[in-house]
Amino acid sequence: MEKSKIHPDQMYIEGLASNNSAVIQSIYKKFVPKVVYFIKNNSGDEDQAQDVVQEVMILLFNQAKANTLQLTCPFDAYFFLLCKRRWLNELKKTSNKGVTINEDLVSVKESTQEMILQTEAFDEKQQLFDMMFQKLGDKCKELLQWSFTLKSMEEVAEKLDVTYGYVRKKKSLCVGQLTQWIQEAQIYKSLKK
């Protein structure tokens, strides 16, 4: 399969990654009304629509920050489909009846579908990581959070007022425990594929 070209709308992803307020406002102005309209016309209300939009924006921000999102289709189609699928999944959870996600195959390109699946997989991995991270002790959480935000382990040691050797050893143990829990989780094998 030939490598898809990056779409010019990648600027929205880059804007999210850099927390650019003009880009974020532009997304809310250009793309959110369509999502709100869809949700309100499909058993939802304004608040539920805003919740879905917020969840998808957080997901896209996290994926953009992780530098794993290369847009190969228009942002509008990608964003709308993510929101639509999230809303239909919400309806499925809250109703006794099954909800069928019938995509309009004529208007949805294969690359858009593939990106949606990648984003949903990213979201599931992020949720698994977050769930296992919360199981760690307070010291491990604090040490790892500092190591995610600071540039060097020396800075982490200084911030925590401990030695560099202690920080390296403790981080290794914490990451080892976190990795073990993630790999032991039942959902891990399906996410790995």
Side-chain angles (χ1 to χ4, degrees):
M1 191 170 121
E2 151 187 341
K3 187 83 173 152
S4 298
K5 249 181 22 179
I6 302 299
H7 196 278
D9 282 357
Q10 181 71 24
M11 65 171 217
Y12 291 111
I13 304 305
E14 291 164 4
L16 283 169
S18 64
N19 211 7
N20 181 320
S21 61
V23 169
I24 294 169
Q25 285 177 340
S26 175
I27 291 170
Y28 273 92
K29 186 176 179 183
K30 290 181 180 178
F31 308 119
V32 170
K34 181 177 175 181
V35 172
V36 171
Y37 178 80
F38 170 78
I39 291 174
K40 285 170 76 174
N41 284 312
N42 287 281
S43 307
D45 61 29
E46 180 81 27
D47 289 341
Q48 291 169 315
Q50 292 302 330
D51 288 346
V52 166
V53 166
Q54 194 64 33
E55 289 171 15
V56 169
M57 289 293 283
I58 290 168
L59 170 61
L60 291 177
F61 172 78
N62 288 336
Q63 196 174 11
K65 282 300 249 189
N67 213 10
T68 60
L69 183 54
Q70 299 292 309
L71 205 58
T72 57
C73 63
F75 182 82
D76 180 30
Y78 177 63
F79 182 73
F80 179 74
L81 273 177
L82 274 175
C83 292
K84 177 181 174 184
R85 289 174 68 103
R86 178 127 336 190
W87 177 244
L88 292 176
N89 284 333
E90 273 305 307
L91 287 177
K92 189 191 286 186
K93 279 187 223 168
T94 58
S95 80
N96 294 335
K97 299 179 239 151
V99 174
T100 304
I101 299 176
N102 255 344
E103 300 296 353
D104 181 1
L105 296 176
V106 176
S107 68
V108 178
K109 291 184 178 175
E110 194 175 306
S111 66
T112 306
Q113 284 288 13
E114 193 176 309
M115 287 184 60
I116 295 290
L117 294 174
Q118 288 173 359
T119 298
E120 288 173 343
F122 176 87
D123 188 30
E124 288 174 0
K125 289 175 186 173
Q126 188 71 44
Q127 287 177 22
L128 175 60
F129 175 85
D130 292 344
M131 187 170 58
M132 296 305 156
F133 186 82
Q134 291 309 314
K135 286 175 63 174
L136 290 171
D138 291 340
K139 293 282 185 201
C140 272
K141 282 192 231 175
E142 182 182 24
L143 185 141
L144 290 177
Q145 285 171 331
W146 281 119
S147 69
F148 296 153
T149 57
L150 297 175
K151 298 218 186 298
S152 73
M153 292 310 290
E154 288 89 356
E155 289 177 281
V156 174
E158 189 178 313
K159 200 67 140 166
L160 296 174
D161 198 27
V162 293
T163 66
Y164 172 75
Y166 173 82
V167 165
R168 283 196 51 199
K169 175 81 172 158
K170 185 71 173 168
K171 180 180 179 186
S172 176
L173 293 171
C174 294
V175 168
Q177 180 64 70
L178 184 59
T179 303
Q180 180 185 346
W181 285 339
I182 289 172
Q183 290 174 346
E184 289 173 353
Q186 286 191 339
I187 193 171
Y188 176 74
K189 286 184 178 119
S190 66
L191 292 175
K192 206 172 156 189
K193 292 178 184 171

